[in-house]
Amino acid sequence: MKSGIDSKIQQIIDDAFDVTDITDVPNIDDTRLTFGNKGLRFEATTLFIDMRGSTAVLNNHNRTTVAKIHKAYFHTIVTIAKSLGGEVRSFNGDGMLVFFQGTSKLTLSNAVEAAMKMKWMLSSSDSAVKKKMEKYSTVNFGIGIDDGKILCAKVGIAGADNRDLVWIGNAVNKSVKVGDMLHGNIGISSYVYSNLLDQVKYAIEKDIWGNEVKKDMWQSQYFEYNGKSELYYFTSYHWVVT
């Protein structure tokens, strides 16, 4: 076994890495991916959502109840994401990555709309999902969003249960970093904010004289990323799901 591992690692490290640019989001069964030094690169808006406090939920409820909470949580997220063109990948514990492939303001804005709808379904007192889930536990979560190029590669060894995909790029790392900082809110990179359509950037509200005015739904703040201070935006606004 040792010699086999040594030989494979030498091949992985020493051989060149072949990258192909694509215009879709690959999945685990994509035949363009192999265990060799091959990867697929695409551009997308990355949405990361993470459910918090799952350890406390596990300690307070039996395993079947925890399973039901997770099933309700993930069903809600996946349904909303796919309705707006999102491709769901990487169920990691309580977290999930969703990719909205493309480079347009529409794909960026679809990701933000999806996040706002997820927020409403999971936290609004008018949401039947929240009412059902809080019978056992209040769901705490954070959502982070960024856009950029992502490299996908297959890892592991042959066999359905021995392989997975890795998603590499600042868009993934930054969305996770921003999402981890927030509790019940949505955070986006400055690039995403600068390219949003008005429908997910401004709310129409009335001023003290009763006139309708546009109000920016986002507030700016800085966070540390890769040793530097970077600007991001966050909001507590949501999008009602009908």
Side-chain angles (χ1 to χ4, degrees):
M1 182 172 66
K2 179 180 181 300
S3 62
I5 294 174
D6 290 344
S7 175
K8 183 63 177 179
I9 298 310
Q10 180 178 347
Q11 179 186 3
I12 291 172
I13 299 300
D14 292 346
D15 287 359
F17 201 98
D18 180 27
V19 177
T20 302
D21 288 307
I22 61 173
T23 57
D24 58 296
V25 181
N27 60 43
I28 191 64
D29 295 318
D30 197 312
T31 56
R32 293 171 297 180
L33 291 168
T34 71
F35 293 112
N37 280 5
K38 290 186 177 181
L40 301 176
R41 182 170 55 200
F42 63 98
E43 185 160 358
T45 305
T46 302
L47 182 155
F48 171 76
I49 180 168
D50 183 43
M51 182 169 68
R52 309 284 163 66
S54 59
T55 300
V57 173
L58 180 61
N59 290 336
N60 292 330
H61 303 287
N62 62 45
R63 282 185 283 268
T64 56
T65 297
V66 176
K68 288 195 289 184
I69 292 172
H70 277 74
K71 284 173 69 67
Y73 167 76
F74 281 122
H75 178 83
T76 300
I77 295 166
V78 171
T79 302
I80 292 171
K82 290 187 73 64
S83 74
L84 287 156
E87 294 289 344
V88 178
R89 300 290 187 271
S90 191
F91 290 81
N92 289 325
D94 303 320
M96 181 189 293
L97 288 174
V98 184
F99 298 110
F100 295 78
Q101 191 275 326
T103 60
S104 69
K105 289 188 176 184
L106 179 60
T107 55
L108 289 165
S109 300
N110 281 348
V112 173
E113 181 180 336
M116 288 181 166
K117 288 182 174 180
M118 292 172 191
K119 175 179 170 59
W120 186 84
M121 290 292 283
L122 294 173
S123 63
S124 172
S125 58
D126 294 323
S127 166
V129 171
K130 178 181 184 296
K131 292 175 182 177
K132 281 291 185 182
M133 294 180 70
E134 71 180 2
K135 175 182 177 182
Y136 302 106
S137 177
T138 299
V139 175
N140 188 11
F141 61 91
I143 302 176
I145 299 175
D146 190 24
D147 181 88
K149 290 187 180 296
I150 299 149
L151 178 65
C152 174
K154 184 182 286 187
V155 295
I157 61 175
D161 299 321
N162 305 313
R163 59 193 178 128
D164 205 348
L165 300 179
V166 291
W167 309 91
I168 303 163
N170 282 313
V172 175
N173 291 357
K174 196 177 292 186
S175 64
V176 172
K177 177 78 171 178
V178 170
D180 282 344
M181 296 188 298
L182 302 173
H183 295 274
N185 288 329
I186 303 161
I188 61 177
S189 67
S190 57
Y191 178 84
V192 172
Y193 174 82
S194 298
N195 288 280
L196 289 179
L197 297 174
D198 282 1
Q199 64 194 42
V200 288
K201 192 171 188 178
Y202 301 105
I204 304 300
E205 300 182 356
K206 290 187 177 181
D207 61 19
I208 57 174
W209 299 283
N211 300 313
E212 289 189 344
V213 295
K214 288 200 306 186
K215 179 182 178 181
D216 194 327
M217 293 187 283
W218 301 87
Q219 301 177 60
S220 62
Q221 197 162 306
Y222 286 89
F223 74 110
E224 289 296 316
Y225 181 73
N226 200 24
K228 297 180 181 178
S229 182
E230 288 204 16
L231 183 68
Y232 81 101
Y233 293 80
F234 68 95
T235 186
S236 59
Y237 279 76
H238 58 243
W239 190 300
V240 177
V241 180
T242 57

